[in-house]
């Protein structure tokens, strides 16, 4: 019951006061399956891109973090080809930083920040990470190309 009430409150807040560049809604009739969109930030290689995400809310939410993955392909050191995201707030302690006080809105904002500021020292994609570290121009070019190809309107 706690999950349902909390989810409705969070979705209502996301609908009325969404963080800039983020939207989130229920997917169909299932309350545990959500969809989200993150707009690529200005002055990033993802600018003008619309990135779709899937959010699966576990039975134990908020004591367990939601599973979030990109449905739109993205060229990023911390996001793999299956859309999985390497971000500490998406994992339970001791390896992660998830806390029940965090919300889906906070998670989406953290993912948006990760898009703007990759963490090449904790990569899911080692080749993209070393490109980001040692050949940033090539990384930016490829990330822009992927954004135009996969996330363009």
């Amino acid at each position: 019951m706690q999950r349902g009430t909390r989810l409705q409150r969070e979705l209502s807040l996301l609908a009325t006061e969404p963080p800039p560049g983020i939207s989130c809604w229920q997917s169909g009739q299932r309350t545990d399956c959500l969809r989200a969109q993150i707009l690529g930030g200005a002055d990033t290689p993802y600018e003008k891109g619309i990135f779709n995400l899937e959010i699966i809310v576990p039975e134990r939410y908020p004591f367990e973090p939601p599973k979030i993955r990109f449905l739109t392909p993205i060229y990023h050191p911390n996001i793999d080809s299956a859309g999985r995201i390497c971000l500490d707030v998406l994992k339970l302690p001791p390896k992660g930083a998830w806390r029940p006080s965090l919300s889906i809105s906070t998670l989406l904002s953290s993912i948006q920040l990760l898009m703007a500021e990759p963490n090449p020292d904790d990569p899911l994609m080692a080749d993209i990470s070393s490109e980001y570290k040692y050949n940033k121009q090539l990384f930016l070019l490829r990330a822009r190309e992927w954004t135009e190809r996969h996330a363009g309107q």
Side-chain angles (χ1 to χ4, degrees), residues 4 11 16 23 32 46 48 52 55 71 79-80 83 85 87-89 99 101 105 107 110 115 141 143 151:
L11 283 171
T16 56
S23 54
D32 62 343
Y46 311 109
K48 294 192 173 98
N52 293 301
I55 304 168
L71 297 173
I79 302 161
D80 73 8
I85 307 161
L87 186 62
D88 61 350
V89 290
R99 296 183 316 279
S101 59
S105 176
L107 293 179
S110 298
M115 286 170 68
L141 180 73

Side-chain angles (χ1 to χ4, degrees), residues 2 4 17 25 36 38 43 53 60 75 93 104 110 117 128 136-137 142 147:
Q2 182 175 9
E17 300 172 37
W25 61 94
I38 295 179
D43 303 323
L53 294 90
R60 294 195 57 240
Y75 194 81
I104 290 169
S110 298
E117 297 175 22
I128 298 175
K136 197 147 186 193
Q137 287 313 111
R142 286 186 175 161
T147 300

Side-chain angles (χ1 to χ4, degrees), residues 78-94:
N78 308 106
I79 302 161
D80 73 8
S81 54
R84 291 177 302 221
I85 307 161
C86 183
L87 186 62
D88 61 350
V89 290
L90 295 175
K91 293 182 242 145
L92 283 167

Side-chain angles (χ1 to χ4, degrees), residues 75 131 137-147 149:
Y75 194 81
E131 191 177 278
Q137 287 313 111
L138 183 60
F139 164 79
L140 292 170
L141 180 73
R142 286 186 175 161
R144 275 190 208 99
E145 284 173 358
W146 273 55
T147 300
R149 189 175 328 132

Side-chain angles (χ1 to χ4, degrees), residues 1-15 24-26 30-34 55-59 61-62 66 103-105:
M1 184 61 209
Q2 182 175 9
R3 176 181 84 154
T5 311
R6 165 127 174 206
L7 263 178
Q8 290 305 43
R9 192 172 64 237
E10 284 191 39
L11 283 171
S12 167
L13 204 57
L14 274 160
C24 182
W25 61 94
Q26 194 172 313
R30 296 185 45 202
T31 54
D32 62 343
C33 188
L34 309 175
I55 304 168
I56 304 295
V57 183
E59 203 57 51
Y61 181 78
S103 67
I104 290 169
S105 176

